[in-house]
Amino acid sequence: MIRIVALRLVGALPNLAGVVVVTFLLTRALPGDPAAFFAGAAASAEAVEQIREKLGLNRNLVEQFGLYLRDLARGDFGQSLSTGQPVLTELVSRLPASLELTFCALVFATVVALPLGVAAARRPGSWIDHLCRLVTTAGVSLPTFFTGLLLAYVFYFLLGVAPSPLGRLDPVFTPPPPVTRMYLIDSLLAGEGTVFRACLAQIALPAVTMGLFVLAPLARMTRASMLGVLSSDFIRTARAAGLASPTVLYTYAFRNALLPVVTTLGMVFSFLLGSNVLVEKVFAWPGIGSYAIESLTASDYAPIQGFVLAMGVLYVLLNLAIDLLYGLIDPRVRLEA
Amino acid sequence: MNDAPPLLSVEGFGLEFRTRSGTVHALDGVDLAVRKGETVGLVGESGSGKSVLSFALLGISDRAARVTGGRAAFGGLELTRASEADLEAVRGREIAMIFQNPRTALNPIRRVGAQIEDVLRRHTTARAAELRERAIAALREVNIPDPERRHAAYPFELSGGMCQRVMIALALACRPALLIADEPTTGLDVTTQAAIMDLIAARARATGMATLFITHDLALAAEHCDRIVVMHAGHVVEAAPTAALFAGPRHPYTAQLIRATPAAESTIDALAAIPGNLPDLRRADLPACRFRARCARASARCDAPLPRLAPPPAHAVACWHPLDEARCA
Amino acid sequence: MKRRHFLQSGAFGAAAAAVPALWTAEAFAQARPRDVLVVANEFGPNSLDIHTVGANRPSYSVSWMCYDRLMTFGRKKLPDGQVMYDYTRLEPELAESWKIAPDGNSVTFRLRKDAKFHDGTPVTAKDVKWSFDRAVTVGGFPTFQMKAGSLEDPKQFVVVDDLTFRVDFVRRDKMTMMDMAVPVPSIFNAELVKKHATPQDPWGLNWTKSNIAGGGAFKVESWKPGQEIIYVRNDDWKNGPLPALKRVIQRDVPNAGNRRALLVKGDIDMTYSLPPKDFSEVAKEGGNVKVSSMPIENSIWYLGMLTSKPPFNNPKVRQAVAHAVPYDKLHASALYGRGAKMYGAASNDVRTTAWPQPTGYRTDIAKAKALLKEAGFENGFETTLSFDLGNGTISEPMAILIQESLAAIGIKATINKVPGANWRAQLLKKDMPMIVNRFGGWLNYPEYFFFWCYHSQDAVFNTMSYKNPALDKMIMNAKFAESRAIYDGEVKAMLKLAYEEVPRVPLFQPLMDVAMQKNVQGYMYWFHLEPDYRQISKS
Amino acid sequence: MRAALRHARYVLSDNPVTLAAFVLFSGFVVLAVAGPWLAPYDPLATDTARAMQAPSLAHWFGTDALGRDILSRIVVATRLDFGIAVSAVALSFALGIALGLAAGFFGGWWDRVILRLADTIMAFPLFVLAMGIVAALGNSVANIVYATAIINLPFYIRVARAEAGVLRNAGFVEAARLSGNGDWRILSHHVFPNILPPAMVQVSLNMGWAILNAAGLSFIGLGVRPPTPEWGIMVAEGATYIISGEWWVAFFPGAVLMLAVFCFNLLGDGLRDIIDPRRRT
C-alpha cells in the first residue's frame, strides 16, 4: 500500500512541474499591469516604474521564473497584493471552506445520483429511466450562477426558509473552535448542535446548486456501469445460482458497478473544485475559488499561481485517494501492485 | 428407468425476443426430456438456441424474451408459469448451471469462498459458523488442492481450470438434481477439458444427478452423453441415444454436423463445411423447416408443418426426407 | 461566547433543535443587538494600513476609525437635514489646540495629555513625528497625498517636547492644514511598529498591513481579507465622543442582488454599494429602508476623447460628439436619475465659479451632423469606445446608448470592456480613442481637478492627453491666485475654454448613496466616501 | 444506409424524449440560421421610454433596462451561442481525436508527451483555466472558442487513446495491416470509425458544457462585447434585477440557455443510441 502511494506521488511529479510552468507562463501573459494597478489612484509614470521594480516585473521571464522557483522551494508562495496577505496563509485559511462546500455538494450529488442511476439501470427504457435521464440532463443544463441566484431568490428572499446567502455562518454565531476548519465537522467536534445546524442551513443552497450540476455524470456513469455489470457473466451466474435479487443487485452488481463511478467521482470532484468559483461568488462563500477569480481580475499573480499549484497538489492527492478507494473495492488493483 | 417420468420435460416450447429491429423467433416447438441420472447432450451450431433454451428454463432470460408457448416441467413445477420467488428457490438448489468462460462467470471482486457461501446461505439451513466449512468442503469435492487457502482467493488469482472447478463447486454445493452445463470446457486447454468433463461425470455418478450438457462439439458430446439432442435454428431436429445417432443420423443437418466433426485422424481438408447460414430468425415468414434453404433434399413437402418427434428414448427426427439409417456412417 | 451559551441552553435551543435546520438561523437573525451594526459592501479592505502599497479604498476607513489624526473636519447640516463634513472647519482630535506662527511659516500643535494608544502607551510628539516622517518617506500614494499639501520633508516635522509638535511650512499652501486632517497622516504607535520593523522594511509596513498600531475609536477584532472585518469599540477612546456602536461587522458580498435582498430582509443594517437602480427603487419603496444621497464633491462622469490623434484632435469632431450624446437617456437609464446633470446650460459662457457646473451642450443630432460635416467627416468614421468593467453597472449602459447615438451621425464605435485591473494600465498608455469614465478628487477645488485632468503635464487622469498652453496658464494662475477676483476670473475662463474645446464631455456629477435601515442614525458624508461608524447609532 | 435510417427512425419513435429534443434542436437551428429575420424587433435598438417592461403581447419576454426587446435578443443570440459551442467542440474533437489516435496507435514518445499534455490540462480546474486563457489571449469570441476547445481536449484524447490502444492489437486491424494497408489508412478507415461512438458520447456532453462555459465566461465579464446579444451575458445583466422583481430580464435568457444545453444533452444521448452499434440488436 505504501509502495502504491510512493509510486503515485513520484509519478505525479512531472504533472506538477507542467502545472508550475504553464501557470507561470499563463499568468505572465495576462495583459494587466499590476504595477499600474497598485500604484494607486494618482500615480505618476515614475511611481509605476518604481513599483514594477519592487515587484521584480522588470526582469526577464527566465529570471522571474527562477525567482519564483526559489521562493516555492522555500515554501514562500508570495504575497497577495490585493489582500495584502501571504498567499499560503490565505490558501490554507480558505481551502477548508471550499473543500467543505465541495464535499457537501458531492455528498448531495452522490446520494441522489447513485440510487437514481441504479433504478434506471434496472429497468432501462422504463419511466424511471426516462426520469433519471431528464433530471440529470436538466441538472447539467443549469448554469450554476443562474441556479444559485434563483435558489437564493426563492428560498431566501421569497420563502424565507433559507438563511441569508452570506458566507459560512450567520454573524450571530461564533464559529466553532478551529480543528479541521470545516465548520460542520468542528461544530460537531465541539458538540455545538445549534452552530452545526446553522452551518448546514448556510451550506445547503450553494451545495445543492453545485451538486445539481454534477448529478448527470454520476448518474449516467452509475447507470451505464450498472447496465454493463448487470449483463455480465457473473451476474448471470449469481442469478443462475438463485441468489436473492437484493444480493444480486447490491453485493454483486453494485459493488462492481462502483469502480468506474469512483473514477468519475474523482473527475467530478476536481470539476467541482474548479467550477465552484461562480457559486462561491454568488453566495459570498470565502473559498479559494472566489479568491482565484478576484485575483485574476486584479492581475494579482502570486495568488493565482498559488491557487493553481494548490489545485495541482490537491488533484494529485485526490487521485491518490481515488486509487486507494479503488483498491479497497477492487482486490485486483490492491493485490497486483 | 425409462418408465419413470422425466426429471425435466419440455414440450412444444417456444420463445421470442422483441428487439428494436424486430421480433426474433428464437425457439419454436422444442421438445426435450432429461431423466434422473442421465446425461443429455444438447448440440448445435452457435446461435441455434441451446443457451437461450437453458436460460429460459431457469427463468434468467434477457428482459426482451417472451415465452410464446409450450410447457417446461421440472418435477412437479411448471417452470414457464412459476413465480420469480419459486424460480429463485429452484435455481441453484434443484437446477444448477455452469457456464463457459469461468473467469468472467465468477464475481471478480469477491473471494471465491464467499461466492460459494452466498449460495449456501441462500439455499441451505447451514448456520453462519458452518458456512466456511461447507464451502471448503465443496471446494475439496471438486479436487481443488489446498481448499482452505483457495477459499480466500479471488478469481483472478486462479487458473481457468481452477475457476471452472470453483464454478462446479458453486453449482453443486446444494446437491442439485439437474446440472445444466453450458459449454463448460470452452476456452480451456485439452487436458483441463478432459479433467473438467471427468469431474462433472464423476459428480453426476456420485450424486445421481441428471446433466444437460450443452455443446457445439459433437465429439465431446459423443464421449460423455447418454443421449443427444440436436438443435438447429431454434428447432430440435433430431434426438437419439448417442450410439444410435452416430450409427445412423437421420436428419440431413445431423449428418452434416457429424461430417464436420474432426476425428483424431482426419485432416483439415476432410472437414466438410455446412453450406449456408442460419436463417434470419427475425423474418416473419420463417419456413416450416428452418434447414430448408441449406438442405440438398428439400422439396415442396418441406413447407408442411414438421412431423412431431417421437418421444424418447426413440430415435426421433423432425424431417420429411430423413436419411436412411443405413445410408449414413 | 455568552450568546452561544444562551442559545445552547434553555427553551430556545431546545425548540431550535426540533425545527428543521433551515429555520433556525433565520430566527436568530432577527434578534440582533442594538449596539451591533452589520454592513455588507461589494468588497472590503485589503490592508489595515493606508500607507501600504496597493491599499484600496475600503482600507481608508480602517485607518479613519482605528487611527487618529491631529485634527479632523467639522460638520455641517445641510438644508435637507443631511449631515456632511465641513472642509472649512478643522477641529481637534489628537491635538487639543494649534497655533499658526505669527510669520505664517509654521504651525504648533499641543497634544492631549490623556491620549493613549490601544496598548495603553501615551501618545507623544515623537509618535507624531515618526508617523509624519513615514507618510512622506514610504513613497506611493501616501507620499503623493502629503505632497499635495506641501508636506514633503521629514525636516519639516519637529518635536518640541513630549506634547508639543511643530510643522514648518516649505511654502504657503492653502491645502497644508487640511491635508493634515485626511486619512493619510494617521498617528502610529512608533515604538510598537519599530519592534516589527526590519532592515528591508524600516517602517514596519508588513506588520501594520495586518495589525493595528493606533489609538482610534475602534479596534479590529478580526479581519479575514475578502470576507469580513469586525470592529470593536475602544472603550478608552478620549479624542472624541465615545461611539454608540460596540461592534461593527462589515462583510464582503460581491453580488449586488444579494446585498439588496439582505437589506430589504433586514439581515444587514447598511450598505454603501448598490447599483443606482437599486438605490432609487429602495428609496422609493421606503419600508424599513432609507437612502442617504449626497452629490460627490469634485467628481464627474465624462466621455473622454483622445486629442493626440485623429479624428479627435479636431475640436469640431469633439463638439459634434458632445452634441450627439443622448444625455437624458443616459441620465434615466444608466444613472436612474441619481446624479446631477452636467449639461444643458444656456451656453458654454460660464458665469459662476460653482464647481462642478453644467456645460452648454444638449442632444442635437442635426447640429452634430453639421459639425461633423464641417470637420470633413461627413461619412463618419470608425472608433472604439472603452469603459472600466469595474464600473460596468453604470458605464456599460452609458457606452451602449452613446454607441447607438453616435451611429446616428455616422460614427461607428466598437465597445471595449476593460477588466478593472487593466483599466489603470490602459489609461496610462493613452491610446484609447474614447472612454466613459469617472474621476473625483479629495480636495474640492476646480483648479485642483483641472491640474490633474486638463494640464499638459499629461498626468494619468488627463486621459484625453489634452495639451493647451493657454489652459495650463489659467490653471496655474487660479492655483496661486493672489485675490478672489483674479481667482474667479481665471476659473471662469478655464471652465469656458475646457467646455468649448471639450476634450472630455462632462455628463453627470454622481451621488454618494448609502442605504440603511430606518433605525440607523447619524450617517454622515465624508470626502473619502468611506463609512465612519463613530457617529452611527441604532435606535 | 437505409438500415441506419430505419434504425434512426426506430430509435426516435422508441424514445419520444429524443424525438422532442430533435424537434427542439431543429427549432434552434432555424433560429440560428434565420434569427435576424425572425426577430420581431431590432435586438440592438434601445428605447428608454419602454425600459423594463414586463412580458406582454407586444414584448413576449419583456424588455431590458435599455428598452431592448428580450425575445429578439434571445433569438438573435442563438447563432453566436451555437457558433461558439459547435466550433469549440469541433475543434477539440478534431484535435483531440488526432492526438489521442497518435498516442494510442503509435505509443512510445508520442504517447508519453500527449498524455502528459492531457494530464497537465486536467490538473487545472477547467473553468479557471478557461478564464486564464481568455484573459491571457485577449477578450474575444474567438478566444472563448479556443479556451473551450483546449479545456475539452483531454476528454477526446483519452477516449481516442484508449480505443486506439485496444484496437491496435485487435484482429481486424492486424488483418488490415497484413493486407498491406498503411498506418494512415488503417487509422482513418479501421480505427477511426470505431472511435466515433464513444467520442460521440463526449460530444453530447461537451456541446452543453461549451455553451455553459461560454456563458460562464460572459457572466464574469469576459468575452462577448456589448451590445452583442449573448445568453450568458444577458443572464448576467439580468441577475441584478431579480431581487427588484424584474425577473424576466435574467429568467428568459437563462431558461433558453438551459433549454439549449438540455436539448444538446438529450440529443447527444439519442445520437449515441443511433450510432452505437452495441445498442443495435
Side-chain angles (χ1 to χ4, degrees), chain C residues 384-390 392 395-396 399-400 414-420 422-423 426 432, chain D residues 138-140 144 217-228 230 232-233 236-237:
Chain C
T384 309
L385 174 57
S386 308
F387 68 88
D388 174 3
L389 206 50
S395 35
E396 184 170 329
I400 292 169
T414 310
I415 293 179
N416 181 28
K417 297 187 286 188
V418 182
N422 301 348
W423 184 243
Q426 289 293 323
M432 294 186 285
Chain D
N139 217 337
S140 73
I144 288 190
L217 290 173
S218 305
F219 185 78
I220 57 169
L222 292 172
V224 183
R225 286 168 196 269
T228 314
E230 191 275 339
I233 213 169
E237 284 167 3

Side-chain angles (χ1 to χ4, degrees), chain B residues 111-301:
Chain B
R111 296 175 196 277
V112 295
Q115 299 191 41
I116 297 176
E117 286 174 19
D118 287 336
V119 180
L120 290 170
R121 193 181 298 114
R122 168 82 176 109
H123 293 303
T124 68
T125 51
R127 274 173 287 127
E130 302 170 349
L131 282 174
R132 188 182 144 81
E133 274 317 304
R134 290 193 57 177
I136 291 173
L139 288 172
R140 190 176 293 121
E141 277 174 9
V142 293
N143 303 331
I144 288 179
D146 200 358
E148 285 84 3
R149 204 160 61 80
R150 293 289 196 273
H151 179 274
Y154 289 98
F156 71 93
E157 298 174 295
L158 302 176
S159 69
M162 211 50 85
C163 280
Q164 192 56 287
R165 283 173 195 269
V166 171
M167 276 292 298
I168 296 170
L170 190 146
L172 302 189
C174 300
R175 305 266 183 267
L178 172 66
L179 173 71
I180 302 177
D182 188 354
E183 310 258 13
T185 59
T186 308
L188 300 179
D189 64 74
V190 183
T191 3
T192 317
Q193 257 187 27
I196 293 293
M197 287 312 296
D198 289 345
L199 176 65
I200 294 173
R203 295 308 304 163
R205 261 197 312 279
T207 57
M209 175 180 72
T211 310
L212 181 62
F213 177 47
I214 299 174
T215 181
H216 62 273
D217 185 345
L218 207 51
L220 200 62
E223 211 176 309
H224 294 277
C225 298
D226 303 319
R227 278 193 312 116
I228 291 180
V229 177
V230 181
M231 282 192 79
H232 174 261
H235 281 160
V236 170
V237 292
E238 188 165 5
T242 307
L245 188 86
F246 277 88
R250 301 203 57 208
H251 198 280
Y253 176 64
T254 315
Q256 284 181 350
L257 212 53
I258 291 175
R259 249 180 283 140
T261 305
E265 64 276 13
S266 66
T267 63
I268 287 273
D269 298 331
L271 286 179
I274 301 175
N277 294 315
L278 289 174
D280 183 355
L281 296 182
R282 278 175 298 193
R283 279 166 51 187
D285 55 337
L286 277 168
C289 175
R290 293 178 181 180
F291 189 61
R292 196 187 157 162
R294 306 169 80 181
C295 185
R297 304 163 68 85
S299 74
R301 195 171 171 206

Side-chain angles (χ1 to χ4, degrees), chain A residues 282-295:
Chain A
V282 169
F283 288 95
W285 198 262
I288 54 172
S290 48
Y291 182 52
I293 284 213
E294 282 154 22
S295 307

